[in-house]
Short mmCIF file of all heavy atoms in Angstrom, two decimals:
data_model
loop_
_atom_site.label_atom_id
_atom_site.label_comp_id
_atom_site.label_asym_id
_atom_site.label_seq_id
_atom_site.Cartn_x
_atom_site.Cartn_y
_atom_site.Cartn_z
N TYR A 1 3.89 8.39 3.36
CA TYR A 1 2.88 8.36 2.27
C TYR A 1 2.04 7.06 2.36
O TYR A 1 0.85 7.13 1.92
CB TYR A 1 3.62 8.32 0.85
CG TYR A 1 4.26 9.66 0.55
CD1 TYR A 1 5.41 9.70 -0.04
CD2 TYR A 1 3.61 10.77 0.71
CE1 TYR A 1 6.11 10.92 -0.39
CE2 TYR A 1 4.10 12.04 0.47
CZ TYR A 1 5.37 12.04 -0.14
OH TYR A 1 5.88 13.27 -0.60
N CYS A 2 2.52 6.01 2.87
CA CYS A 2 1.82 4.76 2.97
C CYS A 2 0.55 4.92 3.87
O CYS A 2 -0.43 4.27 3.66
CB CYS A 2 2.62 3.64 3.44
SG CYS A 2 3.47 3.90 5.03
N MET A 3 0.66 5.86 4.80
CA MET A 3 -0.51 6.08 5.68
C MET A 3 -1.63 6.84 5.02
O MET A 3 -2.74 6.94 5.48
CB MET A 3 -0.07 6.76 6.97
CG MET A 3 0.81 5.89 7.84
SD MET A 3 1.58 6.77 9.19
CE MET A 3 0.18 7.39 10.09
N ALA A 4 -1.27 7.55 3.96
CA ALA A 4 -2.30 8.35 3.18
C ALA A 4 -3.18 7.52 2.25
O ALA A 4 -4.15 7.97 1.76
CB ALA A 4 -1.62 9.42 2.44
N TYR A 5 -2.75 6.27 1.96
CA TYR A 5 -3.59 5.40 1.07
C TYR A 5 -4.95 5.10 1.70
O TYR A 5 -5.08 5.00 2.95
CB TYR A 5 -2.92 3.96 0.86
CG TYR A 5 -1.77 3.92 0.03
CD1 TYR A 5 -0.50 4.35 0.37
CD2 TYR A 5 -1.88 3.45 -1.31
CE1 TYR A 5 0.57 4.31 -0.51
CE2 TYR A 5 -0.89 3.36 -2.17
CZ TYR A 5 0.32 3.72 -1.76
OH TYR A 5 1.35 3.65 -2.63
N ARG A 6 -5.97 5.03 0.85
CA ARG A 6 -7.18 4.67 1.40
C ARG A 6 -7.28 3.22 1.76
O ARG A 6 -6.47 2.49 1.25
CB ARG A 6 -8.28 5.05 0.29
CG ARG A 6 -8.15 4.29 -0.90
CD ARG A 6 -9.39 4.68 -1.91
NE ARG A 6 -9.22 3.90 -3.17
CZ ARG A 6 -9.47 2.67 -3.34
NH1 ARG A 6 -9.93 1.92 -2.36
NH2 ARG A 6 -9.30 2.11 -4.58
N PRO A 7 -8.22 2.71 2.55
CA PRO A 7 -8.25 1.32 2.83
C PRO A 7 -8.49 0.45 1.51
O PRO A 7 -9.17 0.92 0.58
CB PRO A 7 -9.53 1.26 3.64
CG PRO A 7 -9.55 2.57 4.35
CD PRO A 7 -9.23 3.51 3.26
N ILE A 8 -7.85 -0.69 1.56
CA ILE A 8 -7.90 -1.48 0.39
C ILE A 8 -8.71 -2.83 0.67
O ILE A 8 -8.56 -3.27 1.80
CB ILE A 8 -6.48 -1.92 -0.18
CG1 ILE A 8 -5.61 -2.61 1.01
CG2 ILE A 8 -5.74 -0.67 -0.58
CD1 ILE A 8 -4.37 -3.13 0.47
N SER A 9 -9.45 -3.27 -0.37
CA SER A 9 -10.26 -4.46 -0.14
C SER A 9 -10.48 -5.21 -1.45
O SER A 9 -11.01 -6.36 -1.42
CB SER A 9 -11.63 -4.05 0.47
OG SER A 9 -12.32 -3.26 -0.40
N LYS A 10 -10.18 -4.68 -2.56
CA LYS A 10 -10.41 -5.34 -3.86
C LYS A 10 -9.16 -5.99 -4.35
O LYS A 10 -8.06 -5.60 -4.10
CB LYS A 10 -10.90 -4.25 -4.92
CG LYS A 10 -12.02 -3.40 -4.45
CD LYS A 10 -13.26 -3.74 -5.16
CE LYS A 10 -14.36 -2.83 -4.81
NZ LYS A 10 -15.44 -3.38 -4.08
N THR A 11 -9.38 -7.08 -5.07
CA THR A 11 -8.23 -7.96 -5.54
C THR A 11 -7.22 -7.06 -6.37
O THR A 11 -7.62 -6.18 -7.20
CB THR A 11 -8.74 -8.95 -6.48
OG1 THR A 11 -9.66 -9.80 -5.69
CG2 THR A 11 -7.67 -9.85 -7.01
N ASN A 12 -5.95 -7.16 -5.99
CA ASN A 12 -4.75 -6.65 -6.68
C ASN A 12 -4.69 -5.10 -6.27
O ASN A 12 -3.77 -4.45 -6.70
CB ASN A 12 -4.83 -6.65 -8.09
CG ASN A 12 -4.61 -8.08 -8.57
OD1 ASN A 12 -3.93 -8.89 -7.93
ND2 ASN A 12 -5.19 -8.47 -9.68
N GLU A 13 -5.36 -4.60 -5.36
CA GLU A 13 -5.15 -3.26 -4.74
C GLU A 13 -3.92 -3.42 -3.77
O GLU A 13 -3.73 -4.52 -3.25
CB GLU A 13 -6.36 -2.64 -3.98
CG GLU A 13 -7.52 -2.21 -4.78
CD GLU A 13 -8.54 -1.64 -3.93
OE1 GLU A 13 -8.87 -2.10 -2.85
OE2 GLU A 13 -9.16 -0.63 -4.45
N SER A 14 -3.16 -2.34 -3.56
CA SER A 14 -2.00 -2.52 -2.80
C SER A 14 -1.70 -1.16 -1.98
O SER A 14 -2.05 -0.10 -2.41
CB SER A 14 -0.76 -2.85 -3.54
OG SER A 14 -0.54 -1.99 -4.57
N ILE A 15 -0.90 -1.31 -0.93
CA ILE A 15 -0.31 -0.34 -0.20
C ILE A 15 1.11 -0.51 -0.27
O ILE A 15 1.54 -1.64 0.12
CB ILE A 15 -0.89 -0.18 1.29
CG1 ILE A 15 -2.41 0.05 1.30
CG2 ILE A 15 -0.18 0.87 2.06
CD1 ILE A 15 -2.96 -0.08 2.65
N ILE A 16 1.95 0.51 -0.50
CA ILE A 16 3.33 0.29 -0.64
C ILE A 16 4.08 1.32 0.26
O ILE A 16 3.80 2.56 0.11
CB ILE A 16 3.82 0.50 -2.08
CG1 ILE A 16 3.02 -0.55 -2.99
CG2 ILE A 16 5.31 0.37 -2.17
CD1 ILE A 16 3.19 -0.34 -4.44
N CYS A 17 4.98 0.91 1.07
CA CYS A 17 5.85 1.74 1.86
C CYS A 17 7.29 1.66 1.27
O CYS A 17 7.96 0.63 1.46
CB CYS A 17 5.85 1.39 3.32
SG CYS A 17 6.85 2.38 4.39
N LEU A 18 7.65 2.54 0.43
CA LEU A 18 8.87 2.51 -0.30
C LEU A 18 10.09 2.48 0.58
O LEU A 18 10.96 1.62 0.49
CB LEU A 18 9.04 3.57 -1.30
CG LEU A 18 9.42 3.17 -2.68
CD1 LEU A 18 8.50 2.05 -3.34
CD2 LEU A 18 9.57 4.30 -3.61
N PRO A 19 10.11 3.37 1.65
CA PRO A 19 11.42 3.34 2.42
C PRO A 19 11.60 2.07 3.29
O PRO A 19 12.70 1.62 3.49
CB PRO A 19 11.13 4.51 3.44
CG PRO A 19 10.07 5.39 2.75
CD PRO A 19 9.25 4.53 1.93
N HIS A 20 10.46 1.36 3.57
CA HIS A 20 10.57 0.07 4.32
C HIS A 20 10.57 -1.11 3.39
O HIS A 20 10.57 -2.23 3.88
CB HIS A 20 9.47 0.05 5.37
CG HIS A 20 9.53 1.06 6.38
ND1 HIS A 20 8.61 1.26 7.30
CD2 HIS A 20 10.63 1.82 6.76
CE1 HIS A 20 8.96 2.22 8.12
NE2 HIS A 20 10.18 2.57 7.82
N ARG A 21 10.32 -0.82 2.13
CA ARG A 21 10.28 -1.91 1.07
C ARG A 21 9.13 -2.92 1.42
O ARG A 21 9.26 -4.11 1.24
CB ARG A 21 11.65 -2.60 0.95
CG ARG A 21 12.69 -1.75 0.53
CD ARG A 21 13.99 -2.40 0.40
NE ARG A 21 15.07 -1.41 0.15
CZ ARG A 21 16.32 -1.81 0.06
NH1 ARG A 21 16.71 -2.99 0.27
NH2 ARG A 21 17.20 -0.80 -0.05
N LEU A 22 8.03 -2.41 1.86
CA LEU A 22 6.88 -3.22 2.37
C LEU A 22 5.80 -3.08 1.30
O LEU A 22 5.45 -1.93 0.85
CB LEU A 22 6.37 -2.65 3.68
CG LEU A 22 5.17 -3.24 4.21
CD1 LEU A 22 5.54 -4.58 4.98
CD2 LEU A 22 4.52 -2.34 5.24
N VAL A 23 5.16 -4.19 0.94
CA VAL A 23 4.09 -4.19 0.13
C VAL A 23 2.97 -5.01 0.74
O VAL A 23 3.11 -6.09 1.19
CB VAL A 23 4.41 -4.88 -1.30
CG1 VAL A 23 3.18 -4.87 -2.16
CG2 VAL A 23 5.54 -4.03 -1.95
N VAL A 24 1.77 -4.45 0.79
CA VAL A 24 0.51 -5.04 1.30
C VAL A 24 -0.38 -5.19 0.00
O VAL A 24 -0.77 -4.16 -0.57
CB VAL A 24 -0.19 -4.27 2.31
CG1 VAL A 24 -1.40 -4.97 2.84
CG2 VAL A 24 0.77 -4.04 3.56
N GLN A 25 -0.79 -6.35 -0.37
CA GLN A 25 -1.59 -6.59 -1.57
C GLN A 25 -2.74 -7.52 -1.34
O GLN A 25 -2.56 -8.52 -0.66
CB GLN A 25 -0.74 -7.09 -2.71
CG GLN A 25 -1.47 -7.15 -4.01
CD GLN A 25 -0.48 -7.43 -5.21
OE1 GLN A 25 0.52 -8.06 -4.97
NE2 GLN A 25 -0.91 -7.02 -6.42
#
């Protein structure tokens, strides 16, 4: 699912990979 996120560039947008417990903010 994390690969389906659109590219992020604005403050406080995030991509989350729940199985890997990874957050990109």
